[in-house]
Amino acid sequence: MGSGENKEKEKWGLDLNLSIQEEFLTGLGFQDFSGEEKEAENDHLGHDFGRGSDFRIGERDFAVETDDFTGSKRLRYTIEEKGKAKVDCGGSQVNLDFDLNLDLRGFEKDPVGGKMDTWPFEAQVLSSGPVMHDFFPDRIERNTQVENCDVSRKDIVFEQRKEIALSSVRKRQSRRKEQKLMQREIARNVAPRFAHLGPQEQMKQHKETKVKLREVDVELDDSQSPFSLALEAIKMRQTVRKGSLTGLSESFFKRVPAKAEDCNALKRDVPTLLDLSLKALAKNADAIVSLEHVPDKLRHRLSHLVSDCGVVDAHFVELLARGSPTEIRLRNISRLTEEEFAKIFSVCDTKDLTVLQLDLCGRCMPDYILRDTLARSSHRLPSLATISLKGAHRLTDIGLTQLAVSAPALQSINLSQCSLLTSQGISDFVSCFESTLRELYIDDCQNIDATIILPALKKLKCLEVLSVAGIETVCDNFVIGLVKACGINMKELGFANCVQLTDISLQIVGKNCPNLCALDLSYLHNLTDSALKHLANGCQSIRRLKLRRNDFSDEAISAFLEVSGQSLDTLSVNNIHRVAHNTAISIAKCSRNLVSLDLSWCRKLTDEALGMIVDCCLSLKLLKLFGCTQITEAFLNGHSNSRVRIIGCKTGPVLEHLDALEPQENPLRYSPLTKAFADQQHIIYHLDA
């Protein structure tokens, strides 16, 4: 080496350009430990850290070892000696005082001992040169603490994230479990309405019901009652036909079809000019400018046609609400929004409004919209006698109370399918109209308990129509308590799908409801032929009777028609599988005033039996034969009744035929509107204004 290089070495006291062999020969002690020695040092540092020491590395004396690589001896220096930067290199000492340029900003020293109190988790190395291990013990101590603290913090963060993840998983599992339990509970509550008993269970339940109700039949010896006499005559007639006179049944139903030419002439149905005009207006309802001076009757027909077309929008509703209307009838306003409803009825003049029908208004009429429009103030609807809010699934007890305050003259209300109404809300509402309410419809209101509202219903002095179809809590005790209190005025009862009712309820109805005009007994599987016997003996003025999907016998239905069939104008025996020729004979002989007849799924009726019914019942306008696959063209093209419309056998416009039979309904079904009370409330309204 030259003299210049030696001077430079002496100046810095360190030669970094040593070869590997020279590095080992010189015995300089600043190279890094490797292998097991490094691991032992790390273990020692971690052990001191774990015992809560002051992070100072103690002195360790390293003995002189023999280097197998060079065969010469080399010295191992302690950490304290390294920190003093005193290196013995061949008997001479070299000063290793140099700076590694570590950024120690942010370290806080203990003001007393000068120790590093807190350390940042990362030390930023500012030098861009080669990285070398620090020789100074305080810096080694700092780096060791930083590494250990960094590892400790990472463990803490990992544990925290692990706890958060586990907590999130537990919450999701708990939420899923709650949802499953809630869905299972909903399914458990809803399933009984859709489930049907198996054949064996039905027979078992049927036998138990017969045993239970046999006591009811023994109470009265009605062998001489009209129903019993008619039933005996029917059974005898059937026995005679099946006996010696086997050909009597065939000759009885033998019918000569009308000639094809006569049939075509009679069945020619030419629509009127008014019907064609209304249909054209319904299809172009968006182009109608005004309905002023149009009679209510034509308004109703047009509204029904527009509703069936599904085009009832804000424009058409505004046409009906314009001016000072007396009746607004809309069977489907599901397309209206809250804003459109509020805009129309907030400015509508309702002082003369008598009938208001807003069916399927759940989307546009929650409580707050009702409060701001129709129930904006007391006596807002002073003349309103009839209101229908069927399908208002957002109406609650609060909105119903507001409606009661704004319509003091109310006599009829339809709240069917208002699922948020409760028993307490119905009781409070009914108590406001004890002397005026005549009609109440609460079909399919599942939150209503019939036994809870019974005391309030008993107080209604003028109640004529009650429909509780689909309410599962309706039982025999409810019917007995209601009919004994209000049966003398009762004109219509709807018990469809009230599956707990038995013949006991019909016995009480037959005794206490002599003026009953309409009865719905659909889907009541616990009823037997005794139910028809009680009705025939006590209610002989029934005009509309529905017996869908029941287990009545052909003979019992025939006997009922023999006794009470003269007054019937609507009869439904839909899906009663035992209906056969006896029922057909009784209909043709005793129910000639029928206007609508439903014989769907009665597959024991032949073409001849149906032909006899249609030819004898000249007032018949509608005959439903859905599911009657046994009917042939011989009946469809061979009957002689030109007025009847048969639906169900062929694909056709069903709603068109149904609308043709609906009579023009008055504000109330059976009683005239009590004008005196309405006029009194109208005067009070003007005085308040």
Side-chain angles (χ1 to χ4, degrees):
M1 298 181 183
S3 59
E5 295 177 358
N6 293 333
K7 291 180 180 180
E8 192 69 23
K9 291 179 182 178
E10 292 177 359
K11 178 181 179 180
W12 293 102
L14 176 65
D15 185 8
L16 298 179
N17 297 320
L18 297 177
S19 63
I20 297 176
Q21 185 175 1
E22 290 177 0
E23 181 178 349
F24 281 100
L25 290 174
T26 55
L28 292 176
F30 59 85
Q31 68 269 18
D32 190 9
F33 295 108
S34 62
E36 298 178 355
E37 296 174 353
K38 185 174 182 179
E39 293 179 359
E41 183 176 354
N42 290 338
D43 293 339
H44 178 72
L45 294 175
H47 184 64
D48 290 342
F49 179 82
R51 288 184 299 178
S53 62
D54 60 351
F55 304 102
R56 290 202 171 199
I57 304 175
E59 296 181 0
R60 293 191 297 170
D61 295 332
F62 294 86
V64 178
E65 299 177 356
T66 302
D67 193 346
D68 296 335
F69 181 78
T70 60
S72 63
K73 295 182 179 180
R74 53 181 294 207
L75 296 177
R76 293 286 186 180
Y77 297 96
T78 63
I79 298 176
E80 184 178 1
E81 290 175 347
K82 293 178 181 179
K84 293 179 180 179
K86 300 293 183 179
V87 180
D88 185 8
C89 185
S92 63
Q93 294 182 348
V94 181
N95 187 8
L96 299 178
D97 189 9
F98 60 94
D99 189 6
L100 295 181
N101 296 327
L102 293 176
D103 185 12
L104 301 179
R105 289 175 296 178
F107 287 69
E108 298 178 2
K109 289 188 177 182
D110 187 358
V112 179
K115 299 179 182 180
M116 292 297 177
D117 186 22
T118 59
W119 309 99
F121 293 101
E122 295 181 359
Q124 182 179 3
V125 180
L126 300 180
S127 63
S128 59
V131 178
M132 297 189 304
H133 287 269
D134 201 346
F135 279 51
F136 303 98
D138 54 347
R139 294 186 179 181
I140 295 175
E141 181 181 352
R142 297 173 203 162
N143 294 338
T144 305
Q145 292 184 25
V146 170
E147 293 177 359
N148 291 333
C149 290
D150 190 23
V151 172
S152 177
R153 179 173 178 81
K154 288 181 179 179
D155 292 340
I156 294 173
V157 172
F158 176 77
E159 292 295 332
Q160 290 178 350
R161 291 180 178 177
K162 182 178 178 181
E163 288 296 329
I164 293 173
L166 291 176
S167 177
S168 177
V169 171
R170 293 191 196 100
K171 288 181 180 179
R172 285 199 299 268
Q173 291 178 350
S174 177
R175 195 181 305 115
R176 289 175 183 174
K177 186 176 181 181
E178 292 178 358
Q179 290 177 354
K180 288 182 179 180
L181 292 176
M182 182 177 64
Q183 292 175 358
R184 189 179 293 113
E185 187 66 23
I186 293 174
R188 187 182 295 111
N189 295 331
V190 175
R193 297 186 316 191
F194 300 97
H196 297 286
L197 297 175
Q200 296 180 355
E201 295 179 351
Q202 285 185 355
M203 291 297 297
K204 182 179 178 181
Q205 187 176 10
H206 185 63
K207 291 179 180 179
E208 293 177 354
T209 305
K210 283 186 176 180
V211 172
K212 179 181 178 181
L213 299 176
R214 191 172 298 167
E215 301 175 357
V216 179
D217 297 335
V218 174
E219 290 181 0
L220 295 176
D221 185 12
D222 57 351
S223 59
Q224 300 300 318
S225 65
F227 181 86
S228 298
L229 294 176
L231 186 60
E232 290 296 329
I234 291 170
K235 290 181 178 180
M236 186 178 296
R237 182 178 64 194
Q238 189 174 4
T239 303
V240 171
R241 286 210 318 268
K242 289 182 179 180
S244 59
L245 301 178
T246 55
L248 180 59
S249 60
E250 297 179 359
S251 62
F252 187 85
F253 285 109
K254 188 175 181 180
R255 183 177 57 88
V256 178
K259 295 182 180 180
E261 297 178 357
D262 297 336
C263 292
N264 294 333
L266 291 173
K267 291 183 179 181
R268 186 177 301 166
D269 189 10
V270 179
T272 62
L273 181 59
L274 179 61
D275 294 336
L276 295 175
S277 301
L278 290 176
K279 290 180 180 179
L281 288 174
K283 293 179 180 179
N284 301 277
D286 56 343
I288 300 176
V289 178
S290 175
L291 291 177
E292 292 185 24
H293 309 297
V294 177
D296 289 337
K297 183 177 180 179
L298 295 181
R299 284 192 176 201
H300 301 161
R301 292 185 61 183
L302 179 61
S303 175
H304 288 176
L305 291 173
V306 175
S307 298
D308 293 338
C309 295
V311 292
V312 177
D313 55 3
H315 172 69
F316 186 76
V317 176
E318 193 273 333
L319 291 177
L320 295 178
R322 188 180 299 176
S324 181
T326 57
E327 296 186 10
I328 298 177
R329 297 182 186 240
L330 291 165
R331 296 193 297 184
N332 185 356
I333 59 171
S334 58
R335 296 180 59 183
L336 249 64
T337 63
E338 295 179 6
E339 294 78 10
E340 293 171 344
F341 185 91
K343 181 179 179 181
I344 294 172
F345 286 97
S346 60
V347 297
C348 178
D349 186 3
T350 59
K351 66 178 184 299
D352 297 326
L353 191 61
T354 305
V355 178
L356 180 60
Q357 181 181 2
L358 300 174
D359 291 345
L360 303 182
C361 58
R363 178 189 178 191
C364 61
M365 199 181 71
D367 288 344
Y368 55 88
I369 295 295
L370 180 64
R371 182 187 63 241
D372 296 338
T373 55
L374 298 176
R376 186 167 53 193
S377 61
S378 60
H379 297 78
R380 166 77 172 163
L381 304 167
S383 302
L384 188 65
T386 301
I387 186 171
S388 177
L389 301 177
K390 181 178 179 181
H393 56 82
R394 299 172 70 185
L395 179 67
T396 65
D397 298 342
I398 299 174
L400 190 61
T401 303
Q402 296 170 350
L403 183 63
V405 175
S406 63
L410 201 61
Q411 300 181 46
S412 174
I413 185 168
N414 189 343
L415 299 173
S416 300
Q417 302 172 12
C418 295
S419 55
L420 296 183
L421 297 180
T422 64
S423 304
Q424 188 61 42
I426 295 295
S427 299
D428 295 340
F429 178 82
V430 168
S431 62
C432 299
F433 304 96
E434 292 181 356
S435 59
T436 59
L437 191 63
R438 295 180 180 272
E439 301 175 0
L440 177 62
Y441 304 86
I442 51 175
D443 302 344
D444 299 312
C445 295
Q446 299 300 326
N447 286 333
I448 295 178
D449 191 339
T451 57
I452 296 177
I453 66 173
L454 179 59
L457 296 180
K458 288 182 178 180
K459 298 179 182 179
L460 297 176
K461 302 177 182 179
C462 304
L463 186 63
E464 296 178 348
V465 179
L466 177 65
S467 182
V468 290
I471 299 181
E472 298 177 356
T473 54
V474 174
C475 57
D476 291 335
N477 292 331
F478 171 81
V479 176
I480 292 171
L482 175 70
V483 170
K484 286 185 177 180
C486 308
I488 191 64
N489 297 322
M490 199 63 66
K491 301 293 180 60
E492 181 176 345
L493 288 172
F495 294 138
N497 216 1
C498 298
V499 294
Q500 297 187 34
L501 296 184
T502 64
D503 294 348
I504 299 175
S505 299
L506 274 300
Q507 182 186 13
I508 300 301
V509 170
K511 287 182 179 179
N512 297 277
C513 301
N515 300 318
L516 193 65
C517 299
L519 183 63
D520 190 353
L521 300 177
S522 303
Y523 308 101
L524 303 184
H525 305 287
N526 291 331
L527 298 184
T528 64
D529 292 344
S530 298
L532 294 180
K533 177 181 65 176
H534 298 312
L535 288 178
N537 294 335
C539 306
Q540 299 185 2
S541 60
I542 295 180
R543 298 203 299 263
R544 294 195 301 275
L545 181 63
K546 295 181 180 180
L547 305 175
R548 297 177 183 175
R549 204 182 178 87
N550 286 318
D551 197 26
F552 300 128
S553 65
D554 182 37
E555 294 81 9
I557 297 176
S558 179
F560 176 84
L561 295 175
E562 295 277 351
V563 176
S564 303
Q566 292 81 4
S567 59
L568 285 176
D569 58 35
T570 301
L571 175 64
S572 175
V573 289
N574 186 321
N575 217 337
I576 299 181
H577 301 294
R578 293 200 278 176
V579 167
H581 298 303
N582 289 317
T583 301
I585 294 172
S586 298
I587 292 175
K589 184 174 66 172
C590 303
S591 302
R592 299 191 175 187
N593 294 322
L594 280 175
V595 177
S596 176
L597 178 61
D598 188 358
L599 298 175
S600 300
W601 303 98
C602 297
R603 294 181 173 177
K604 292 185 179 181
L605 296 175
T606 62
D607 290 340
E608 290 76 12
L610 292 173
M612 181 183 61
I613 292 173
V614 172
D615 291 343
C616 293
C617 299
L618 299 178
S619 300
L620 190 63
K621 294 182 180 180
L622 179 63
L623 177 62
K624 299 179 184 179
L625 296 176
F626 292 98
C628 295
T629 56
Q630 77 279 9
I631 304 303
T632 65
E633 296 292 333
F635 162 70
L636 297 176
N637 297 326
H639 66 83
S640 60
N641 191 339
S642 61
R643 303 181 61 182
V644 68
R645 292 183 177 180
I646 302 173
I647 62 173
C649 291
K650 296 181 179 180
T651 304
V654 178
L655 292 178
E656 180 181 356
H657 299 302
L658 294 179
D659 291 339
L661 286 183
E662 291 187 357
Q664 186 61 43
E665 295 183 359
N666 297 320
L668 299 176
R669 282 184 178 269
Y670 302 98
S671 299
L673 186 63
T674 55
K675 292 286 186 180
F677 185 77
D679 293 341
Q680 182 181 1
Q681 298 300 327
H682 193 67
I683 294 173
I684 294 175
Y685 169 77
H686 283 291
L687 291 176
D688 293 341

